[in-house]
Amino acid sequence: MTTLHSVVLEVADRASAERFLTDAFGLSGQVRVRESSAETTGFRDFTLSLTVAQPSTVSGLFETAVDAGATVVKPVTKSLWGYGGVVEAPDGTIWKVATSAKKDTGPATRAIDSVVLLLGCADVAVSKKFYVDHGLAVARSFGRKYVEFSTTGPIKLGLYGRKALAKDAGVPIDGSGSHRIAVSGDAGDLVDPDGFVWEPMAATVDGDLTSR
């Protein structure tokens, strides 16, 4: 089974991005950062979701994200599927914090059950075939709308139509340039049909994140 070791965000200010991840969500190894000046505008065709156990955890993480400098895209609210909200980090990354539970069943915590990387695809079926051909196993699939893969490690991976992902996040679909993200995993050096890059397990050398 393919292992996703981490997501690597490419940012203009590494120190600020690392501080945000720690202060907002308490993340470290699951999401890493490195500096980049690659041009990008608007929606970058991906979101990162934090799945948690109960509404109080959603509210707590959402509040600390805003306190750490995030912009509210969708306020936390109840819906048919549960409870959640969306913020945009200072580096431009779109984060969704959500739970399928509608009521708390215990004390408030900051525990994160999973980190989910959703990639916006021009054609979900084409991207699905690419990943299956490169050894990823499908856990769930809903035609050309959504695919979730069976992976190990701290990151889960899903595919969503680009337009549908932007709508779910609550942001305009317009965007161009670099995705400014890479996936660190054991699938090898890959570039998928939508331009998302996979790299071997990242290493830290002299304080700098490298792809080798």
Side-chain angles (χ1 to χ4, degrees):
M1 187 178 292
T2 301
T3 299
L4 275 65
H5 299 290
S6 63
V7 168
V8 184
L9 299 175
E10 298 178 341
V11 301
D13 187 332
R14 175 178 173 177
S16 293
E18 288 178 336
R19 187 165 52 250
F20 173 81
L21 290 172
T22 300
D23 294 347
F25 305 127
L27 294 173
S28 55
Q30 308 99 316
V31 182
R32 304 186 183 191
V33 297
R34 66 182 172 211
E35 292 193 3
S36 172
S37 58
E39 292 187 5
T40 187
T41 60
F43 184 47
R44 303 205 318 250
D45 300 350
F46 74 91
T47 64
L48 283 164
S49 296
L50 304 180
T51 303
V52 302
Q54 57 186 16
S56 61
T57 303
V58 171
S59 296
L61 291 169
F62 195 91
E63 289 170 6
T64 54
V66 173
D67 289 343
T71 301
V72 176
V73 178
K74 283 186 175 182
V76 287
T77 185
K78 292 181 180 179
S79 67
L80 293 175
W81 53 261
Y83 185 78
V86 179
V87 297
E88 181 177 343
D91 65 78
T93 303
I94 302 297
W95 290 89
K96 183 175 183 178
V97 188
T99 179
S100 59
K102 297 183 180 181
K103 295 182 179 180
D104 288 342
T105 56
T109 74
R110 290 180 58 79
I112 296 170
D113 294 338
S114 61
V115 181
V116 183
L117 171 62
L118 282 178
L119 304 180
C121 306
D123 189 322
V124 172
V126 170
S127 295
K128 173 186 174 182
K129 183 178 185 303
F130 172 87
Y131 282 112
V132 170
D133 288 347
H134 284 84
L136 274 72
V138 174
R140 292 193 297 167
S141 180
F142 299 93
R144 292 179 175 267
K145 294 183 178 180
Y146 176 79
V147 177
E148 182 180 307
F149 294 100
S150 295
T151 58
T152 60
I155 306 293
K156 293 185 177 181
L157 177 67
L159 307 178
Y160 212 177
R162 185 174 182 273
K163 182 177 181 180
L165 183 59
K167 181 178 180 180
D168 180 68
V171 298
I173 193 173
D174 300 325
S176 63
S178 173
H179 295 304
R180 280 205 177 186
I181 192 174
V183 183
S184 174
D186 60 7
D189 287 297
L190 304 174
V191 179
D192 81 0
D194 298 287
F196 289 100
V197 175
W198 282 62
E199 303 172 343
M201 175 60 178
T204 302
V205 180
D206 296 329
D208 293 324
L209 184 67
T210 68
S211 60
R212 297 292 186 271

